[in-house]
Amino acid sequence: MEIIRPTLVLDKKKCLSNIEFMANKAKANKLRFRPHFKTHVSAEVGSWFRDYGVTAITVSSVQMAEYFAENGWDDITIAFPINPLEMENINALAAKIKLNLVVETHEILKILNNKLTSPVEFYVKIDTGHGRTGIEADREGQIESLLEYALIYKENIKFRGFLSHSGHTYKTKARHTIYNIHFDALMKLNQLKKKFSPVFPDLEISIGDTPACSISDDFRGVDEIRPGNFVFYDLMQQQLSACEYDQIAIRMVCPVVSKNQSRNEIVIHGGSVHFSKDYIMNIDGKKLYGRIVRRDGNKRILLNEMNYLHDLSQEHGILKVSPQEFNKFKIGDLVEILPVHACLTAHAMGWYFTDEGEIIDTMPRY
Amino acid sequence: MEIIRPTLVLDKKKCLSNIEFMANKAKANKLRFRPHFKTHVSAEVGSWFRDYGVTAITVSSVQMAEYFAENGWDDITIAFPINPLEMENINALAAKIKLNLVVETHEILKILNNKLTSPVEFYVKIDTGHGRTGIEADREGQIESLLEYALIYKENIKFRGFLSHSGHTYKTKARHTIYNIHFDALMKLNQLKKKFSPVFPDLEISIGDTPACSISDDFRGVDEIRPGNFVFYDLMQQQLSACEYDQIAIRMVCPVVSKNQSRNEIVIHGGSVHFSKDYIMNIDGKKLYGRIVRRDGNKRILLNEMNYLHDLSQEHGILKVSPQEFNKFKIGDLVEILPVHACLTAHAMGWYFTDEGEIIDTMPRY
């Protein structure tokens, strides 16, 4: 396939190297590596993890669990609150694979106890400060009373441990803040482990976020890590110092279709239906939707922050470029853009094109 | 199909009524109605327009033109700058259907002249103030010299008229500003019509945006309108006063999966992969990603602005609700959300579920 339209190109070598990096880190720290597959959502990309010893995965919906179960994965954690409307689907999955769920209320535990027809294990979701879901780590009484039910409801449900996602690392501006949040989460989770281990000696700690898993080497008390975004990385992760530009494994290749000299703007085919609309702030205080890589023969040059994807409409992308760069762009050129948020860009596109020329599909929409 | 997961429900009756409204307005003003199909991007939804006399459509990519041409549409305007890399596809389309293109430079006109193998007509894109693409309306010299080539390159290309999209109506805060922008665009386009009619007596004026087409009754000098979003409308259009809440024809139906009383937050399954990430500002100065409709038996109640979809991560949506409303939400309930930007939400989902229980597909991703 020749690239003539907005195309999400996947650098398989970089992707494999990102997987290897995280797999090695898990191994060195004696952690189970249960990568989150919500970023790529692709059976093919998922299969690449097998070569690095991965046998257990994380997903963020029952639908995604069904997709990966159909594609040969038999140990899946659904790291998302249980939706009682999906109990039939959960039962079908639990009959087929080793299924791990996440619980934060007695209400849901009771539903599981009443409706499960095959065994599952569950984690209690702990909120270490992100403030999205889970029981706040210091509410030990609340956790204790939930776990009392875990001792009663024993037929099909077994308590496995505590699971957290320190998503507030995404809101930080400096590397040391990620360490702070991570260390704080470890302290909270270890405190819970210590308190509840006498009753549940096998309980595990599972943590999640890509920034901390990428930069930290301190995993005391942790049994399992569930990073996801690292498989591709992106500008948001780079800005958080979780990766280098060179580790970003996807790029959107877009045709230049128009130029406006008076505004120093280059118009590309590549809009919000391709990139989605997450942004970071550029050094000029404006929204940045992507960074530009210009090809010069075989060289690939990352342009500085004065040149960036500065606006998106449905199909149009507007590059702001410096006057020096302006003339180097020609209508009909292909320009490469590093995306801000890999997960959303991958979802918006729904397919990848590898540097080796292979088209890779993702999960069907329904 | 029973709804158990985030589902984009399409109210076909409202959708037909929106189509009828715009078709009638076009008829009353003696305008060709060439709706933009980029909002729904669905052969099935597109077919509904036939009943209102629509035979000509607008799209925003060559790929979309190919899709609708395969589905029986034979008069298509691609309202997007020409990408020279797609000349083969353009030729294949031009051989098959009546194809209209948009041009703003001599460079592109020359490429068309050299490479076209079947006839097309073209519009010159005029920038009436939006500042995205097109020649600024007052640059009459630039337009004139472009049209001189139109008289030379006569084999396969014919100048059809001026086309504009006053997308800056989307940045307004008040209804009268939409009128101002629309009136200003009409003056600019009529000035061009007057100037170039002696040489091109059949030249047409084609205008685009949904806000102006929805609220204005002044279409002096205009030959064709190309609104798109009106087929569904959304909160952005409502905020612009281009529609009423009751005209919004799509809603995302999402399961409630978690609650947090101390934060007055309800967690739904429904995130940025479902809604995409466009937002408007709520009256509290925060980002709003959707408004909540609560079902109470057969009644549907639009909650006030103190209750709204206030944050999105990949699969999670966080509703901020008032303490009074909080207890009315139960885990396992289905809640309805009016989306901010119908085009992006429709694209993110990629399929619709009608109130009549029909699943409707959209254009394949590649």
Side-chain angles (χ1 to χ4, degrees):
Chain A
M1 188 187 89
E2 205 180 341
I3 296 180
I4 58 170
R5 292 172 177 171
T7 301
L8 186 58
V9 178
L10 171 54
D11 185 325
K12 185 172 173 178
K13 280 189 200 125
K14 283 189 185 177
C15 181
L16 294 180
S17 149
N18 292 342
I19 297 171
E20 186 175 27
F21 164 77
M22 201 59 85
N24 286 344
K25 180 173 253 194
K27 200 176 289 172
N29 289 281
K30 299 192 172 55
L31 302 165
R32 183 186 312 114
F33 181 31
R34 185 189 285 279
H36 206 311
F37 275 15
K38 79 184 174 72
T39 300
H40 58 79
V41 204
S42 159
E44 168 75 13
V45 176
S47 73
W48 301 346
F49 285 75
R50 301 260 186 208
D51 292 339
Y52 301 92
V54 173
T55 57
I57 65 168
T58 310
V59 298
S60 52
S61 69
V62 174
Q63 185 185 1
M64 220 182 275
E66 290 167 343
Y67 169 72
F68 284 110
E70 278 162 26
N71 284 283
W73 294 92
D74 58 7
D75 182 353
I76 302 180
T77 296
I78 303 176
F80 192 84
I82 289 162
N83 165 10
L85 301 175
E86 293 185 304
M87 276 309 301
E88 263 186 55
N89 307 66
I90 289 171
N91 274 325
L93 275 168
K96 191 172 154 187
I97 64 163
K98 185 161 160 19
L99 186 67
N100 310 298
L101 302 173
V102 169
V103 172
E104 57 189 74
T105 59
H106 173 227
E107 182 183 348
I108 288 292
L109 211 54
K110 203 170 149 187
I111 291 173
L112 289 179
N113 186 55
N114 289 337
K115 300 205 172 160
L116 274 174
T117 50
S118 297
V120 305
E121 299 195 340
F122 76 94
Y123 293 90
V124 171
K125 177 72 186 283
I126 301 298
D127 180 2
T128 54
H130 185 202
R132 186 173 65 181
T133 56
I135 306 176
E136 286 156 57
D138 59 357
R139 301 201 176 190
E140 294 189 0
Q142 195 178 335
I143 296 165
E144 191 162 11
S145 69
L146 184 61
L147 291 182
E148 277 164 17
Y149 288 104
L151 294 170
I152 301 168
Y153 301 155
K154 285 201 293 198
E155 196 184 349
N156 279 323
I157 41 182
K158 188 188 159 195
F159 172 60
R160 177 129 184 210
F162 297 111
L163 178 146
S164 77
H165 171 68
S166 295
H168 45 319
T169 53
Y170 282 81
K171 285 169 188 156
T172 62
K173 300 263 178 285
R175 193 175 171 94
H176 74 268
T177 325
I178 297 173
Y179 288 117
N180 293 351
I181 288 171
H182 177 63
F183 193 77
D184 181 55
L186 292 186
M187 291 302 97
K188 288 170 172 169
L189 293 164
N190 276 299
Q191 162 66 17
L192 291 175
K193 195 174 195 177
K194 193 176 152 203
K195 181 173 166 70
F196 293 100
S197 279
V199 186
F200 301 97
D202 301 328
L203 82 79
E204 290 190 357
I205 299 294
S206 172
I207 66 165
D209 64 303
T210 282
C213 290
S214 296
I215 71 171
S216 178
D217 284 307
D218 185 348
F219 296 95
R220 64 185 76 183
V222 175
D223 299 281
E224 173 182 282
I225 55 170
R226 309 182 322 279
N229 179 287
F230 74 94
V231 67
F232 297 153
Y233 282 125
D234 53 32
L235 290 183
M236 208 182 277
Q237 297 289 338
Q238 188 282 328
Q239 200 180 49
L240 292 166
S241 82
C243 71
E244 306 289 333
Y245 289 114
D246 201 44
Q247 290 174 276
I248 300 175
I250 55 171
R251 57 189 195 273
M252 192 79 81
V253 177
C254 299
V256 172
V257 295
S258 182
K259 297 175 65 172
N260 186 293
Q261 184 131 35
S262 63
R263 294 192 293 263
N264 280 315
E265 288 177 357
I266 306 289
V267 182
I268 59 173
H269 187 195
S272 42
V273 295
H274 307 101
F275 288 96
S276 188
K277 287 205 83 166
D278 258 346
Y279 57 85
I280 53 177
M281 300 314 289
N282 197 13
I283 49 166
D284 59 5
K286 291 179 183 158
K287 289 177 183 174
L288 178 156
Y289 295 97
R291 287 281 298 272
I292 307 167
V293 175
R294 195 163 42 68
R295 291 204 83 126
D296 194 358
N298 281 329
K299 271 196 299 186
R300 298 174 56 216
I301 303 157
L302 175 68
L303 304 187
N304 69 22
E305 297 96 327
M306 302 307 289
N307 305 275
Y308 63 103
L309 178 54
H310 123 103
D311 203 5
L312 293 173
S313 41
Q314 183 163 346
E315 300 271 350
H316 301 73
I318 311 290
L319 309 182
K320 277 277 182 203
V321 299
S322 64
Q324 301 90 298
E325 288 293 336
F326 184 85
N327 291 319
K328 297 180 187 159
F329 290 92
K330 292 188 176 43
I331 289 175
D333 280 358
L334 291 173
V335 59
E336 304 189 348
I337 309 287
L338 300 180
V340 166
H341 189 170
C343 313
L344 296 193
T345 300
H347 177 268
M349 290 298 290
W351 61 287
Y352 311 97
F353 185 62
T354 68
D355 278 314
E356 288 76 26
E358 188 190 0
I359 289 177
I360 295 182
D361 263 321
T362 62
M363 180 175 76
R365 304 267 151 174
Y366 67 91
Chain B
M1 189 187 88
E2 204 181 341
I3 297 181
I4 57 170
R5 290 171 178 171
T7 302
L8 187 57
V9 177
L10 171 53
D11 185 325
K12 185 172 173 179
K13 280 191 200 122
K14 283 188 186 178
C15 181
L16 293 180
S17 150
N18 292 341
I19 297 171
E20 186 175 26
F21 164 78
M22 201 60 85
N24 286 343
K25 180 173 252 193
K27 199 176 291 172
N29 289 281
K30 299 193 172 55
L31 303 165
R32 183 185 312 113
F33 180 33
R34 186 189 284 279
H36 207 310
F37 275 14
K38 80 184 173 73
T39 300
H40 57 79
V41 204
S42 159
E44 168 76 13
V45 175
S47 73
W48 301 347
F49 284 76
R50 300 258 186 209
D51 292 338
Y52 301 92
V54 172
T55 57
I57 65 168
T58 310
V59 298
S60 52
S61 70
V62 175
Q63 185 185 1
M64 220 183 274
E66 290 168 343
Y67 169 71
F68 284 110
E70 278 161 27
N71 284 284
W73 294 92
D74 58 9
D75 183 354
I76 302 180
T77 297
I78 303 176
F80 193 83
I82 289 162
N83 165 10
L85 301 176
E86 293 184 305
M87 275 309 300
E88 262 186 56
N89 307 66
I90 289 170
N91 274 325
L93 274 168
K96 189 173 154 185
I97 64 163
K98 184 161 161 21
L99 186 66
N100 310 298
L101 302 173
V102 170
V103 172
E104 58 188 74
T105 60
H106 173 226
E107 181 183 349
I108 288 292
L109 211 54
K110 202 169 150 187
I111 291 173
L112 289 180
N113 185 56
N114 289 337
K115 299 205 171 160
L116 274 174
T117 50
S118 296
V120 304
E121 299 196 339
F122 76 93
Y123 293 90
V124 172
K125 176 72 187 281
I126 301 298
D127 180 0
T128 54
H130 184 202
R132 187 174 64 182
T133 57
I135 305 176
E136 285 156 58
D138 59 357
R139 301 200 175 191
E140 293 189 1
Q142 195 177 334
I143 296 165
E144 191 162 9
S145 69
L146 185 61
L147 291 182
E148 277 165 17
Y149 288 104
L151 293 170
I152 301 168
Y153 301 156
K154 285 201 294 197
E155 195 183 350
N156 278 324
I157 40 182
K158 188 188 159 197
F159 173 60
R160 176 127 187 212
F162 297 111
L163 177 145
S164 77
H165 171 67
S166 295
H168 44 320
T169 52
Y170 282 80
K171 286 170 187 155
T172 62
K173 299 265 179 283
R175 193 174 170 95
H176 74 267
T177 325
I178 297 173
Y179 288 118
N180 292 352
I181 288 172
H182 177 61
F183 192 77
D184 181 55
L186 292 186
M187 290 302 97
K188 288 170 172 169
L189 293 164
N190 275 299
Q191 162 66 16
L192 292 175
K193 195 174 194 175
K194 192 176 152 199
K195 180 173 167 71
F196 292 100
S197 279
V199 186
F200 301 97
D202 301 328
L203 82 79
E204 291 190 357
I205 299 293
S206 172
I207 66 165
D209 64 305
T210 283
C213 290
S214 296
I215 71 171
S216 179
D217 285 306
D218 184 348
F219 295 94
R220 64 185 77 183
V222 174
D223 299 282
E224 172 182 281
I225 55 170
R226 309 183 321 280
N229 179 288
F230 74 94
V231 66
F232 296 153
Y233 283 124
D234 53 32
L235 289 183
M236 208 181 277
Q237 297 289 340
Q238 188 282 328
Q239 200 181 51
L240 292 167
S241 81
C243 71
E244 307 288 334
Y245 288 114
D246 201 44
Q247 290 174 275
I248 301 175
I250 55 171
R251 57 189 194 273
M252 191 79 81
V253 177
C254 299
V256 172
V257 295
S258 181
K259 297 175 65 174
N260 186 294
Q261 183 131 37
S262 62
R263 294 192 293 263
N264 281 315
E265 288 178 358
I266 306 289
V267 182
I268 59 172
H269 187 194
S272 43
V273 294
H274 307 102
F275 287 96
S276 189
K277 286 204 84 167
D278 259 347
Y279 57 86
I280 53 177
M281 300 313 287
N282 196 14
I283 49 166
D284 59 4
K286 291 179 182 156
K287 290 177 183 173
L288 177 155
Y289 295 97
R291 287 281 298 272
I292 307 167
V293 175
R294 196 163 43 67
R295 291 204 83 126
D296 195 358
N298 281 328
K299 272 196 298 187
R300 297 174 58 215
I301 304 156
L302 175 67
L303 304 187
N304 70 23
E305 297 97 327
M306 301 308 288
N307 305 275
Y308 63 104
L309 178 55
H310 124 103
D311 203 6
L312 293 173
S313 42
Q314 183 164 347
E315 301 271 349
H316 301 73
I318 311 291
L319 310 182
K320 277 276 184 205
V321 299
S322 64
Q324 301 90 299
E325 288 293 336
F326 184 84
N327 292 317
K328 296 180 188 159
F329 291 93
K330 292 189 177 42
I331 289 175
D333 279 0
L334 291 172
V335 58
E336 303 189 349
I337 309 286
L338 300 181
V340 166
H341 188 170
C343 313
L344 295 192
T345 300
H347 176 268
M349 290 299 290
W351 61 288
Y352 310 97
F353 185 62
T354 68
D355 277 314
E356 288 75 27
E358 190 190 358
I359 289 177
I360 295 182
D361 263 321
T362 63
M363 180 174 76
R365 304 267 151 174
Y366 66 91

